[in-house]
């Protein structure tokens, strides 16, 4: 059975994913994109903006990108078309069923990449083991995930503590780890990498200008009330509508605060495959 993806693919969720680029989401990968012929696998590609950006950086290479959601794969294909990027193939797929895909082979890629995916999997170690097998000797595996407990904001809008506590509860209730970003190196060790082959680092997104706050706080306010997350929170017995409305109002309060600031902390690892 597929993992129970907490957010679903409501417009408020895709608004966040579609903003993502190599520059704002893969700083740890930039130094490895030094060869235009690289082959890259993007696991859990969502609407594919990072995947297409990767493909544009390896014009003589190729990107293969998978996601279990047919709806987002459709959007991703359209995005590639609109950007005129052709060295990319999007496929509906699940990392645990990689053998069903003609385009995925053991030791088949120079780079295997996953952005904000491991936090949604119930068995991230097995996923990393699979991804490791798909990297050719001399290649790399790169993953990045946020750490929800470490997210912070200013001024101290009290309703956002309630947001954080609820998100952690719902994600843990799905048997996934919303704080996996801080232990990606440990997951990589469990998946069989030697410590010397793992580079662990941290990066952040900051939302501070009125435009940035409108984007980030607005999408979380909408997500709280409209997305699959709302259904999971209510049906799981973690929150009622009044609670969710309070959280959405807290996001709007941060958005409207002139000095408002929000930081999303990401753990990222690059693992070398020998
Ligand atoms: C937070 S989104 C990230 C999307 C994209 N990587 C990005 O950063 O814009 C996580 C994605 O992982 C996908 N996903 C969940 N379980 C998966 C699995 N078993 N194999 C591959 N992808 C999976 C979800 O469908 C979702 O689109």
């Amino acid at each position: 059975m597929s993992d129970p993806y907490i957010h679903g693919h409501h417009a408020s969720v895709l608004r966040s994913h579609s903003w993502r680029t190599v520059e704002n989401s893969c700083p740890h990968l930039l130094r490895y994109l030094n060869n235009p012929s690289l082959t890259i696998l993007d696991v859990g590609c969502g609407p594919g903006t990072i995947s297409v950006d990767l493909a544009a950086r390896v014009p003589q290479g190729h990107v293969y990108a998978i996601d279990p959601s047919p709806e987002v794969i459709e959007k991703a294909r359209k995005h590639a078309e609109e950007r005129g990027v052709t060295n990319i193939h999007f496929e509906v797929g699940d990392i645990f069923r990689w053998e069903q895909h003609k385009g995925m082979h053991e030791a088949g890629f120079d780079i295997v990449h996953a952005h904000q995916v491991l936090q949604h999997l119930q068995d991230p170690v097995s996923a990393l083991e699979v991804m490791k097998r798909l990297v050719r000797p001399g290649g790399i595996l790169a993953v990045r995930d946020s750490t929800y407990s470490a997210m912070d904001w200013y001024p101290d809008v009290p309703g956002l503590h309630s947001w954080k506590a609820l998100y952690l509860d719902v994600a843990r209730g799905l048997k996934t780890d919303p704080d996996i970003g801080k232990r990606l190196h440990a997951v990589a060790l469990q998946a069989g990498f030697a410590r010397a082959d793992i580079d662990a680092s941290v990066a952040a997104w900051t939302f501070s200008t009125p435009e940035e706050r409108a984007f980030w706080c607005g999408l979380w306010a909408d997500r709280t009330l409209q997305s699959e997350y709302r259904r999971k929170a209510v049906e799981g017995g973690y929150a009622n509508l009044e609670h969710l409305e309070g959280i959405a109002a807290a996001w709007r309060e941060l958005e409207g605060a002139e000095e408002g600031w929000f930081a999303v902390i990401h753990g990222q690892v690059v693992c070398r495959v020998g």
Side-chain angles (χ1 to χ4, degrees):
M1 216 183 72
S2 289
D3 286 281
Y5 181 44
I6 187 168
H7 300 296
H9 293 99
H10 183 265
S12 58
V13 176
L14 294 182
R15 213 151 83 218
S16 157
H17 299 174
S18 304
W19 158 84
R20 297 176 187 173
T21 61
V22 169
E23 207 167 317
N24 68 27
S25 300
C26 314
H28 53 302
L29 255 191
L30 283 172
R31 58 190 281 246
Y32 296 95
L33 299 173
N34 51 5
N35 172 349
S37 306
L38 292 170
T39 53
I40 302 174
L41 171 66
D42 193 15
V43 176
C45 63
T49 52
I50 296 175
S51 333
V52 169
D53 220 7
L54 285 169
R57 287 168 187 257
V58 293
Q60 280 112 58
H62 192 262
V63 172
Y64 193 86
I66 62 160
D67 198 286
S69 162
E71 181 195 339
V72 287
I73 286 295
E74 207 36 57
K75 285 193 193 319
R77 286 183 182 136
K78 203 158 161 237
H79 175 66
E81 247 175 69
E82 282 165 5
R83 276 205 47 190
V85 173
T86 53
N87 59 331
I88 189 160
H89 181 81
F90 287 104
E91 187 89 20
V92 176
D94 183 320
I95 188 60
F96 294 110
R97 302 198 176 96
W98 66 276
E99 281 152 312
Q100 296 175 2
H101 297 283
K102 282 194 192 127
M104 288 167 77
H105 307 285
E106 244 174 276
F109 298 92
D110 296 304
I111 298 177
V112 174
H113 167 257
H115 185 250
Q116 311 294 350
V117 178
L118 291 198
Q119 66 188 274
H120 299 297
L121 304 182
Q122 293 175 334
D123 187 356
V125 174
S126 295
L128 224 53
E129 283 169 352
V130 170
M131 292 185 219
K132 182 173 185 258
R133 284 172 65 185
L134 300 175
V135 180
R136 72 157 175 79
I140 58 159
L141 169 56
V143 291
R144 166 162 131 146
D145 276 271
S146 46
T147 289
Y148 273 74
S149 293
M151 292 190 192
D152 208 354
W153 57 89
Y154 178 86
D156 187 13
V157 175
L160 289 183
H161 294 284
S162 180
W163 160 74
K164 189 190 273 187
L166 177 65
Y167 187 86
L168 293 174
D169 280 352
V170 177
R172 289 172 183 153
L174 294 171
K175 300 190 171 26
T176 60
D177 182 2
D179 284 339
I180 200 167
K182 68 179 175 190
R183 63 178 186 94
L184 290 175
H185 60 292
V187 178
L189 283 170
Q190 285 176 278
F193 286 99
R195 187 64 190 84
D197 290 327
I198 305 169
D199 287 338
S201 57
V202 168
W205 287 335
T206 321
F207 302 99
S208 174
T209 66
E211 296 74 23
E212 288 165 350
R213 292 198 316 275
F215 168 69
W216 186 252
C217 301
L219 71 85
W220 266 104
D222 291 350
R223 228 184 240 208
T224 302
L225 293 178
Q226 298 169 29
S227 72
E228 174 66 18
Y229 172 62
R230 167 200 155 125
R231 192 185 67 74
K232 286 198 163 70
V234 173
E235 288 181 7
Y238 300 101
N240 58 26
L241 193 53
E242 197 184 339
H243 185 174
L244 293 177
E245 278 169 352
I247 289 173
W251 279 111
R252 294 294 180 198
E253 188 181 334
L254 188 72
E255 178 183 347
E258 210 180 322
E259 299 174 328
W261 178 96
F262 194 96
V264 178
I265 307 299
H266 307 282
Q268 44 198 31
V269 290
V270 172
C271 309
R272 285 174 290 279
V273 173

